[in-house]
């Protein structure tokens, strides 16, 4: 279904898009970042925090490491400012890229079992599906952020995967 190259490509895409978001939002007031905009996670910063929290959660599952100590709702306030989000995002993006670069074919096979707080039960899915989901989750919610940035009157950068300069 997927291979190491797919994971590296998506990790690079994730990194590129997050850099674009950070540079576009630079200078936007804290009030505008936290303004309720009718999105699923409310604000731009709330949605960015949700993506970051989700990446922490999925990486802990995929690597078998400790999960975030906060739940998804508290994850909406994981970082209080854009500067803190940018620093945490930089670290997580680097972590995901290093993880992807180190993957072996065997790492992409088999099942992953975890306890889901959302469903309040243990779930088992294929490891490959979970990895695809992590990257899709990032892209999906960044699309919401992109829409909110457009609503805020910001000029946004391109988001097409095929035009990621990291893939030239």
């Amino acid at each position: 279904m997927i291979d190491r190259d797919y994971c590296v490509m998506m990790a690079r895409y994730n990194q590129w898009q997050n850099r674009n978001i950070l540079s576009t939002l630079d200078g936007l007031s804290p009030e505008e970042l936290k303004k309720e905009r009718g999105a699923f996670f409310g604000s731009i910063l709330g949605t960015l925090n949700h993506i970051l929290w989700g990446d922490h959660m999925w990486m802990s599952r995929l690597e078998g490491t400790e999960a975030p100590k906060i739940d998804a709702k508290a994850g909406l306030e994981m970082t209080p400012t854009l500067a803190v989000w940018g620093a945490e995002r930089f670290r997580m993006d680097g972590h995901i890229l290093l993880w992807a670069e180190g993957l072996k074919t065997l790492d992409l096979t088999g099942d992953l079992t975890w306890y889901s707080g959302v469903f309040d039960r243990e779930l088992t899915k294929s490891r490959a599906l979970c990895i695809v989901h992590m990257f899709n989750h990032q892209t999906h919610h960044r699309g919401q952020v992109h829409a909110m940035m457009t609503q805020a009157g910001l000029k946004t950068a391109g988001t097409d995967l095929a035009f990621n300069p990291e893939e030239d």
Side-chain angles (χ1 to χ4, degrees), residues 66-162:
E66 189 174 346
K69 296 188 184 308
I70 57 175
D71 65 13
K73 184 174 181 184
L76 299 179
E77 298 178 10
M78 190 171 184
T79 64
T81 66
L82 185 64
V84 174
W85 175 84
E88 290 299 317
R89 189 72 258 178
F90 178 81
R91 279 191 281 283
M92 177 53 70
D93 289 349
H95 181 89
I96 292 171
L97 182 57
L98 286 172
W99 166 80
E101 290 173 339
L103 286 171
K104 307 287 186 249
T105 301
L106 194 59
D107 298 327
L108 304 171
T109 63
D111 289 337
L112 182 66
T113 300
W114 74 97
Y115 177 80
S116 169
V118 172
F119 291 104
D120 194 27
R121 64 184 169 94
E122 194 171 85
L123 296 174
T124 299
K125 300 286 181 181
S126 85
R127 183 171 292 276
L129 177 66
C130 292
I131 293 167
V132 170
H133 168 75
M134 179 182 72
F135 290 122
N136 185 68
H137 179 263
Q138 296 164 346
T139 302
H140 166 71
H141 289 303
R142 272 196 309 268
Q144 293 171 331
V145 170
H146 187 273
M148 288 186 279
M149 291 185 334
T150 302
Q151 289 171 350
L154 300 172
K155 182 168 172 39
T156 58
T159 60
D160 293 336
L161 177 62

Side-chain angles (χ1 to χ4, degrees), residues 42-58:
S43 68
I44 292 171
L45 188 58
T47 305
L48 292 173
N49 277 328
H50 172 75
I51 300 166
L52 181 62
W53 177 87
D55 286 350
H56 276 280
M57 184 61 74
W58 279 107

